[in-house]
Amino acid sequence: DTAVSQTPKYLVTQMGNDKSIKCEQNLGHDTMYWYKQDSKKFLKIMFSYNNKELIINETVPNRFSPKSPDKAHLNLHINSLELGDSAVYFCASSQDHNGYTFGSGTRLTVV
Amino acid sequence: EDQVTQSPEALRLQEGESSSLNCSYTVSGLRGLFWYRQDPGKGPEFLFTLYSAGEEKEKERLKATLTKKESFLHITAPKPEDSATYLCAVQAGGSYIPTFGRGTSLIVHP
C-alpha cells in the first residue's frame, strides 16, 4: 500500500488554466504539506496543514490554495497557471512534524 | 541567505571508496536535523533524524553525525545502488517546518 499517493504524476497544461493535484495519506499522520521542487532540485515549503492550523509560506502566490476535505487528504488548487509554475510538486505527511513521508511527486509543465 | 548549506554539490566515487557529505547550518535553537535520500523521479525518502550534538545514527553503509554547526553523512564502501541525491533539512526555532538544503548528488561507479 502506498503511504502518500498523489495524482496525477504528470500534468501538462496551458497558461491561464486552473488545475488541481490530489494527495492522500494512509498513515494516520496529523499534518500534511505541499512542497515545490525547482529545476535545481531545491525543495521549498508551500503549505503546512493539520486540522487546527494552516501555515502558508508568505512567498507563495495566492493563486495557490490548499483544500483539505479530511485529515487524510490535502489537495492543491492552482488558478491562472503561469510558465514559472512549472516544477515538481510533492505532497508529504508527518506525525508531530517528525520524519516526513513524501509522495512520488507531480511534474507540472505549463506551456 | 541559505540557512542550510550542503557540500559538495556533486560527488563521484568508485565502488568501495568511502567518503562524507556535509550539511552545515546557521540556525539557532535546533530542534532536529533530517537526512533524506532522493532517487530520480521519486520523492525524498527519510533516512535519519538527529536531535543533539554528539548524536550518531547508522543504517547499512550510512552513518550520520551531528555537531553544533554541521552534520556529516558518512558512506562506507559505497555501492552503485547508493547513487542518489542526499538532502539535509533543519528544523529550528519556533517553526516545525524544516528548511532543506540544495542536496548532494552522489554517483557511485562500479
Side-chain angles (χ1 to χ4, degrees):
Chain A
D1 274 349
T2 303
V4 179
S5 59
Q6 47 182 119
T7 56
K9 187 167 178 65
Y10 300 98
L11 182 56
V12 181
T13 188
Q14 291 186 329
M15 284 175 53
N17 283 351
D18 303 336
K19 290 294 179 184
S20 295
I21 306 172
K22 295 185 177 181
C23 179
E24 175 182 4
Q25 56 100 0
N26 62 6
L27 298 166
H29 285 169
D30 60 5
T31 307
M32 296 183 72
Y33 313 83
W34 278 104
Y35 275 85
K36 178 180 180 179
Q37 189 170 49
D38 62 23
S39 58
K40 296 187 176 181
K41 308 295 185 185
F42 189 39
L43 271 168
K44 283 189 176 180
I45 183 71
M46 299 178 72
F47 304 101
S48 165
Y49 184 79
N50 62 23
N51 55 11
K52 299 177 184 177
E53 187 178 22
L54 170 65
I55 300 174
I56 303 171
N57 184 326
E58 61 190 14
T59 67
V60 175
N62 58 16
R63 298 181 293 103
F64 292 78
S65 58
K67 306 283 186 189
S68 181
D70 56 57
K71 185 179 172 182
H73 297 82
L74 183 65
N75 303 325
L76 181 65
H77 294 264
I78 316 169
N79 295 324
S80 303
L81 277 155
E82 301 177 357
L83 293 177
D85 297 331
S86 296
V88 181
Y89 292 84
F90 286 100
C91 177
S93 71
S94 74
Q95 183 64 33
D96 298 325
H97 299 284
N98 290 315
Y100 289 17
T101 302
F102 282 83
S104 58
T106 295
R107 181 174 293 277
L108 171 66
T109 303
V110 182
V111 298
Chain B
E1 181 180 335
D2 284 355
Q3 295 179 305
V4 183
T5 304
Q6 292 188 246
S7 62
E9 191 173 316
L11 181 62
R12 292 177 180 268
L13 299 173
Q14 289 297 127
E15 185 171 2
E17 180 187 2
S18 301
S19 188
S20 297
L21 281 53
N22 178 265
C23 172
S24 63
Y25 57 93
T26 56
V27 300
S28 58
L30 180 73
R31 292 181 178 273
L33 185 143
F34 307 91
W35 281 99
Y36 289 85
R37 169 193 171 126
Q38 186 174 20
D39 292 295
K42 296 187 177 181
E45 175 188 348
F46 173 72
L47 294 173
F48 306 109
T49 306
L50 301 167
Y51 293 104
S52 57
E55 190 174 359
E56 298 182 351
K57 294 271 179 76
E58 284 190 69
K59 180 181 180 179
E60 297 180 352
R61 295 176 293 282
L62 299 177
K63 179 179 177 181
T65 62
L66 181 65
T67 73
K68 289 187 178 180
K69 294 183 178 180
E70 59 192 349
S71 176
F72 290 94
L73 184 65
H74 306 278
I75 304 176
T76 302
K79 298 181 177 182
E81 53 262 42
D82 294 322
S83 298
T85 295
Y86 291 85
L87 298 167
C88 167
V90 169
Q91 197 181 53
S95 173
Y96 286 97
I97 307 299
T99 298
F100 279 82
R102 294 178 182 269
T104 294
S105 175
L106 173 66
I107 298 176
V108 182
H109 296 285

